[in-house]
Every structure is written in C-alpha cells, then in structure tokens.
Amino acid sequence: MDPRVEQFMAKIKVKNPAEPEFHQAVMEVSESLIPFIEENPRYKFAKILERIAEPERIIIFRVPWMNDKGEVEVNRGFRIEMNSAIGPYKGGLRFHPTVNLGILKFLAFEQVFKNSLTTLPMGGGKGGSDFDPKGKSDNEVMRFCQSFMTELCKHIGPNTDVPAGDIGVGGREIGYMFGQYKRIRNEFTGVLTGKGIEWGGSLIRPEATGYGNVYFAEEMLKTRGESLKGKTAVVSGSGNVAQFTVQKLNQLGAKVLTLSDSAGFVYDPAGIDDEKLAYVMELKNIRRGRISEYAENFGVEYFEGQRPWNIKCDAAFPSATENEVQKEDALALIKNGCKLVSEGANMPSSPGAIEVYLRERILYGPGKAANAGGVAVSGLEMTQNSMRLPWSREEVDTRLHTIMQNIHQTCVKYGTENGGYVNYIKGANIGGFVKVADAMMAQGIV
Ligand code: NDP
Ligand code: 2IT
C-alpha cells in the first residue's frame, strides 16, 4: 500500500475506532485522492482530505415508541451532516437493525462525492435508525416515524438538510415523516424527497436509482462498442433499486436471471419479464413477503442463504447492500464471463472484489457514480418544489439520462489510465472531489 495512504488511514482509524465500513470507504477514496492531492498541493496545505473525512455535525437521539401490544420500544436515531460546501446536506435515511454510527458515516461520506458528481447543488448527509420495519404493522411504522421526526425536525429544513429514502425507507415512511414534520413546523415544504406525487413528489423518483444505474451501464458498454441488448444480467436485492433496474434492463432488451433478499436468491433462466416483475413489486411493496415465494409461484429454483454471483451472466448489478460481493464472488463472476459490474447499492463490492475487477479490466461502475441517479432526481424534486411547478415524466427522465451521461464523462475524464482503460473508481473519486474541495477552499477554514 502507498505509505501516504497508510499514514492517513492510521489517523482515521484512531479517531474513528470500531467503524470498519467508514474506514473502508475513506481508504478507497484516499487511494485515488492522495496521489492527486500530491500533484495539487493547494489542497494539501488546506488539509481538505482531513476535513472532508470529518463530519460537520452528527446528531444522535433517542426514539421511543409504543408497539401494538402496548409495550414501549426504544431505538436510536442518527443524522450525519457530513459536508455542506456545495449545498444543503442531502442523503437518505436507512431503517435496518444493522444501522450504527460507522455505517451511516460511510454512507454520508460516499454521498458527498456522489452528490457532487450529479452537478446539482447538494451537500452530503445520511441518517437512519436501528429500527427494523420487518414484521411491523403500518401503525407501528407510523408511530416510529412520528417519534423519529419529532426530534429530527429540529435539525433539518429545505435549505439546511433534506433527507430521503434508503434501505427500509420508501414512500410509506416518507409520508409518515413528512406528515409529522408539517404538523410540528406548520410548513408545507420540500424538506424530504421521495414524496408522493400528490404532495410534492417528483415523477421518476421511485425509478431513478435503478434506471440511472442501467443508463450508466449502457454508457460504459458504449465505450467498447456494445449495448445491453441480448445480454444476460444478474441482479441482487428485490427492493426499490433492484425492481427498477430490472424494469429498465427489460426495456433495453437484456434478460434478468436473478433477484434476492436477505434470505436467499431466485434463479429464473427464462428471465424475469415485466409480468413477473409486477408480481415481485406486489410481493415486496404491498404484501411485504419473501423472494422465496417467487420460486414457489413460478416453479424456479431458490437458493437459500446464498447470493447470485455464481450464476453465469454478462453483467452484474449488485442492488442490495454493502460488501455483498466478496473477492471469491468477483472471481466467480469473471470465470463465468461477466464483463460489467454496475453498482446500484452503496459499496456492495469489498476491496478484494474491486481489485479483481480492475486487474481483469472489466467495466466497473462504482456506486457513487452508477447509483447517483436516485439522489439526482431528488435534486430535481427540490428544484420542482422551489418552483412550485412539477415536470412531466419525459422531462425528468431526459434530465436523469443526461446527468448519468455527464457523470460517465466525468469518470472518463479523470479516470482514463495510460493504455486507455477507464478506472471509473478513480474517475468518480477525483471528479466528485474537485468541486467540493474548491468550494471548501473558497469558503475559508470552516
Ligand atoms: P430496499 O429496502 O427497498 O431494498 C433492500 C433490498 O436489499 C431488499 O431486497 C433487502 O432484503 C436486501 N438487503 C438489505 N439488507 C441486506 C443485507 N444485510 N443482506 C442481504 N440483503 C439485504 O432498499 P433500496 O433498494 O432502496 O436500497 C438498496 C441499496 O441501494 C442500498 O445499498 C442503498 O443504500 C442503495 N441506494 C438506494 C437508493 C435509493 O434511492 N433508494 C439510491 C442509491 C443507492 P430484505 O427485504 O430481506 O431485507
Ligand atoms: O444512497 C443514496 O444516494 C440514496 N439513498 C438516495 C438519497 C437521496 O437523497 O435521494
């Protein structure tokens, strides 16, 4: 390892103990940035990298609520306000039992670079709770969301910090939180994105992360004179991002072979077509059931406790969670002929997996570039809220498509190596960094 990276990371680890995901995210970025900063010493003198890795503010709070049995439950709420150099803090809320400070700090850190890549004026933030929505009634979810927002509403606002969804937070949760914010603050305002279409939401926001990821993959393939048409794809997860990844892949003529959840994956060699996808959407978004039911319903194989990376494919779209692709999974993908990995999830590939992709020179779109379409359309939702004027589906989709093409261009600009291979991870890290760093320099030592 570069000794300068090693030195920097030693300090990060001392200052942020027991936060392995945060260390992983900072390390991956500093491997690209430290050599770049050496060539641009003004950033070094201003300690931009040290400042960017230190959250501007962290809010941690108690979230008490009552379950349907009349028992009191206590969860922990967080909001990491990471960086506001180029706009209000912006980023999702995650409700999942694994949520802790380190995971949210990694997500907030990634968000700073991602939001900068979109070209829209958004800083970086992330939040959430260790609340587990699985198995909870709508009323329990509502009471939890109301309690969570009763504290969070003191710290956010349309020009301060604008949360949205992430794992475990979709339209239902955003609705309950928006209602509580409005009630306490007596303001109808664009304080959350991912809102319902009748009350300030943007068309295409639900689709945006998945669609954006597929647009990004198509751009990567174009650099090799190829397209998604006729290609086979494996997708992990079966939530918001996975569902709309499948929809766009189908529209572009690819065949999707798998979907998963935390219990296992289904393999459908005939392809998950639009009709089967409609079943998945009803299963996951309304009945809130398990993906194993897909296998029973359509008579295909279900692999309990496994991830789909051993299935032969041309392209892989990890869309569930962090570190879901390990080195041996990456090796299996490559062995089976996979030529593209485009990340719908945040940091789904372990450092060992990334090493394999880069060594094998495959097309590798890292999450902060490939999944930026979600937050980009959140930014467009903020614009529409400010104008008090909604755009059509076509208008938003066209803007999303253009933003993904521009992000791809930025990665090519900063990531093309001698010999022509595009290292998208380097491109995304440097491309996302420059605007934030220049804004921080201009604003003084704050
Ligand atoms: P959802 O809650 O809608 O879906 C999450 C999916 O991933 C579910 O199928 C879930 O299975 C699975 N999953 C979650 N945690 C784990 C785990 N620890 N192990 C295995 N499977 C898991 O979330 P999203 O689709 O919104 O988010 C998916 C990923 O995309 C996350 O990494 C998120 O940060 C990222 N992302 C989301 C954006 C958005 O706009 N929503 C934007 C950019 C990135 P189960 O139901 O069994 O838990
Ligand atoms: O990781 C992400 O980019 C998101 N969960 C979406 C954030 C947002 O503000 O729309």
Side-chain angles (χ1 to χ4, degrees), residues 90-93 107 111 114-115 122 126 162-167 193-194 205 209 346 371-372 374-379:
K90 180 83 196 89
L93 295 170
L107 289 161
Q111 200 80 44
K114 185 196 301 192
N115 292 4
M122 299 183 289
K126 199 89 188 188
V162 183
D166 192 77
I167 292 177
T193 59
R205 177 61 189 90
T209 312
N346 286 306
N371 72 36
V375 75
V377 174
S378 279

Side-chain angles (χ1 to χ4, degrees), residues 67-96:
N67 69 23
D68 286 347
K69 288 183 262 172
E71 297 161 349
V72 178
E73 304 230 13
V74 187
N75 287 101
R76 185 170 291 172
F78 303 85
R79 186 70 183 166
I80 318 294
E81 296 185 336
M82 198 75 190
N83 195 299
S84 62
I86 63 168
Y89 308 107
K90 180 83 196 89
L93 295 170
R94 177 178 291 191
F95 292 168
H96 194 272

